[in-house]
Amino acid sequence: MIDLRPYISTTNGKAFAVLGLGRSGLTAACALAQSGADVWAWDDNADGRAKAAEAGLKVVDLGNCDWTAVQSLVMSPGIPLTHPVPHPVALAAQATGVEVICEVELLYRACPDATFVGITGTNGKSTTTSLIAHILAQAGRPVAVGGNLGTPALELPMLESDGVYVLEMSSYQLDLLSQLRFDIALLLNFSPDHLDRHGDMAGYIKAKLHIFDRQEKDDAAIIGMDDPDSRQVFDQINSLGNCKAIPISGNTRLAEGVFAAQGQLIDDRFASEEQILDLQSVERLPGDHNHQNAAAAFACCRRLNLTNDAIVAGMKSFPGLAHRQQLVAQQGNIRYINDSKATNADAAARAISSYENIYWIAGGRAKDGGISSLKPLFSRIRKAYLIGECAEDFARQIGKDLPYTQCQTLDRAIAQAAKDAQHDNCDNAVVLLSPACASWDQYRSFEVRGDHFRECVQKLTQSNNLEQPSTASGREAS
């Protein structure tokens, strides 16, 4: 746990209020308390308050407290700061002039000499974050990875001036920073997401742009160029000239940037194209979207003074991430890919674009827009297997454009898809779970859904049991 005593010693002795006592909030409260701060812990849920009391924390109703005695409000990013309705505690803190921050801000204040790399965007954050951290670790650099990915910021190890914090940053977290300056800030892409928390697309983009706040001349802004909103952001940051802006792309040649073209990773930062790596040989980074992730990681690691050879070695040894186009099994010419993290159509499009002869498992709790945007990719799909509460709606959206079966449950969908793929005997067939939906109708998280996919596939391939499964009633398109 991060030692906050050096930072606490610089404050005026006032209390730190902590609102939201999930894992990151409880960690923040405990780290502050262990470092000698007066901590007022609160959660709107009684279970959260009980956990705080069990941890020996002082439980204080932040809806009825003296804000003049508070130094900072450390708020869980999951609690609304602005939209749809600001939490009353946040409003009370701000009305008294108390800063509202998240635990990542405390990490920065405790370890100001370390290098901070921040990664944000709608899709690809976790892969890019993990890839950068893996490359650095393989090269022998002291590195810690966390933030919105896995480990809460204050559970990371203390790093000195030679260390690098690689932090995935959500739009919610970026709204809760006040001093943190990223030495390298990466913005990958935009597509509509979390609009209920930001009001509209403009509010969402505004929140993401906080990743570039306070950057200086020697810092770098690495920005994707594969969607219109990101290109506008690049032009904006580049024209300001506060830092070095580096464009990256997964499919388009760029002047003075890093990009992939025909699957080749190319460095043109100094207006002289240098071929770095054949990305088609890197099995864990398939598709244009992963090629953009690779371009972002390369640009970042070069800014951190790693050699080309070290970066290439790290990319080739990257194990990939669970639930993100994860190869979980192969039986003959059939690969089984777990892309449960694809909880919207844009994310599913990235996976579908990476393969041919797809037996596509989709469905769950649908996001706005459904899957109509995926129709241009239907030629890659041999058949769809629809699950979850949106199965009938997805069937209507597909219409006669694609053969489909309503399977309702994941195990039935896997068994049917495997049987069909074996029967068709196509080259490079892929049974792909890329749901384009949230998991909450049948699973508590996309991770649980992905784990169930892996378990079902393992049982199926080990037993080689590809008999016809029973499926729920539903019309089929031919």
Side-chain angles (χ1 to χ4, degrees), residues 115-119 132 164-167 182-184 186 300 304:
T115 295
F116 279 76
V117 174
I119 300 95
I132 292 170
V164 183
Y165 287 108
V166 183
L167 304 176
F182 286 108
D183 300 273
I184 303 175
L186 294 86
C300 175
L304 294 170

Side-chain angles (χ1 to χ4, degrees), residues 403-414:
Y404 68 83
T405 295
Q406 291 193 50
C407 299
Q408 302 304 328
T409 63
L410 184 55
D411 56 342
R412 292 172 175 170
I414 293 166

Side-chain angles (χ1 to χ4, degrees), residues 173-434:
Q173 291 170 315
L174 291 168
D175 264 341
L176 297 170
L177 302 178
S178 67
Q179 295 179 20
L180 193 159
R181 174 178 62 83
F182 286 108
D183 300 273
I184 303 175
L186 294 86
L187 171 65
L188 301 175
N189 49 58
F190 286 113
S191 60
D193 205 4
H194 304 306
L195 300 190
D196 57 331
R197 278 289 303 270
H198 299 292
D200 54 21
M201 193 66 183
Y204 177 57
I205 292 172
K206 181 180 178 181
K208 291 289 193 185
L209 285 177
H210 286 311
I211 200 164
F212 305 116
D213 287 354
R214 298 169 291 279
Q215 282 200 297
E216 300 173 354
K217 180 178 65 175
D218 292 333
D219 301 329
I222 298 170
I223 303 171
M225 301 290 281
D226 294 341
D227 65 273
D229 289 322
S230 296
R231 289 194 290 272
Q232 288 185 10
V233 168
F234 176 83
D235 291 341
Q236 176 184 339
I237 298 300
N238 193 43
S239 64
L240 288 173
N242 295 336
C243 61
K244 174 62 176 176
I246 302 172
I248 53 115
S249 173
N251 53 35
T252 303
R253 305 189 96 88
L254 299 170
E256 299 184 17
V258 179
F259 58 89
Q262 289 78 53
Q264 303 299 313
L265 180 63
I266 296 171
D267 180 9
D268 189 49
R269 290 171 302 132
F270 303 107
S272 178
E273 289 190 5
E274 180 180 5
Q275 187 166 313
I276 304 300
L277 173 65
D278 180 3
L279 289 169
Q280 297 174 94
S281 68
V282 184
E283 184 178 353
R284 304 301 183 184
L285 295 172
D288 288 356
H289 61 295
N290 273 316
H291 294 176
Q292 187 198 54
N293 297 338
F298 178 87
C300 175
C301 291
R302 287 296 287 137
R303 290 289 299 189
L304 294 170
N305 298 317
L306 267 63
T307 65
N308 289 0
D309 287 347
I311 297 170
V312 167
M315 287 186 179
K316 287 184 174 179
S317 64
F318 180 56
L321 289 183
H323 316 300
R324 296 158 176 87
Q325 287 183 253
Q326 176 192 18
L327 177 64
V328 298
Q330 181 161 354
Q331 186 177 51
N333 62 342
I334 306 170
R335 287 178 292 165
Y336 295 83
I337 305 293
N338 167 22
D339 193 42
S340 182
K341 181 64 170 63
T343 58
N344 57 51
D346 282 342
R350 293 166 180 264
I352 294 169
S353 298
S354 301
Y355 309 103
E356 301 281 355
N357 295 323
I358 298 169
Y359 298 80
W360 178 39
I361 301 172
R365 180 161 296 169
K367 299 281 185 76
D368 290 344
I371 56 172
S372 57
S373 64
L374 298 177
K375 288 193 175 185
L377 297 172
F378 281 0
S379 61
R380 294 175 173 269
I381 302 170
R382 296 188 65 87
K383 190 173 181 180
Y385 306 83
L386 306 179
I387 64 174
E389 68 182 27
C390 72
E392 289 189 9
D393 184 44
F394 276 16
R396 284 191 294 269
Q397 291 182 49
I398 290 172
K400 295 184 178 180
D401 293 337
L402 183 69
Y404 68 83
T405 295
Q406 291 193 50
C407 299
Q408 302 304 328
T409 63
L410 184 55
D411 56 342
R412 292 172 175 170
I414 293 166
Q416 182 68 63
K419 180 178 183 297
D420 291 345
Q422 188 179 63
H423 176 270
D424 294 345
N425 196 29
C426 297
D427 290 337
N428 299 315
V430 172
V431 174
L432 172 67
L433 170 66
S434 192

